[in-house]
Amino acid sequence: MQTCPAGSSAPAGSTQLADCSCAAGYYFDGDTCEICPAGFYCDGVQLHACPSAYSFVVGATTAASCSCGEGEYESGGSCLDCPNTQIGLFEVCHDC
């Protein structure tokens, strides 16, 4: 029996490395658990692309975790830069 890599586990009775899964926010690359990169969310097994241009968040765990980056706002499923006279907080532009 193979041992799962650090940060991962497998159901009782599993004998294959492929049965291992990582914690949410990580994905299993076949050898190790890697943190989910920006632009994706990870369920502990694989990478899933975030909708549209969302997610500048590293370690996103669900599609709901995907969001626009700082200084951006969401419009029609895309992340857009806030105008120069505004700042973006929580996906909404605010006057300075």
Side-chain angles (χ1 to χ4, degrees), residues 1-68:
M1 176 169 163
Q2 295 179 321
T3 304
C4 289
S8 67
S9 61
S14 297
T15 60
Q16 301 294 320
L17 193 60
D19 295 332
C20 299
S21 62
C22 305
Y26 291 79
Y27 69 98
F28 189 63
D29 75 355
D31 295 319
T32 60
C33 292
E34 299 289 337
I35 193 159
C36 198
F40 296 87
Y41 65 95
C42 300
D43 58 11
V45 179
Q46 59 186 328
L47 292 165
H48 302 277
C50 285
S52 301
Y54 287 9
S55 194
F56 292 91
V57 176
V58 173
T61 58
T62 64
S65 302
C66 298
S67 62
C68 296

Side-chain angles (χ1 to χ4, degrees), residues 70-73 80-88 93-96:
E70 187 175 321
E72 297 181 324
Y73 69 100
L80 304 173
D81 291 332
C82 287
N84 289 337
T85 59
Q86 296 183 323
I87 58 171
C93 295
H94 300 275
D95 290 329
C96 293

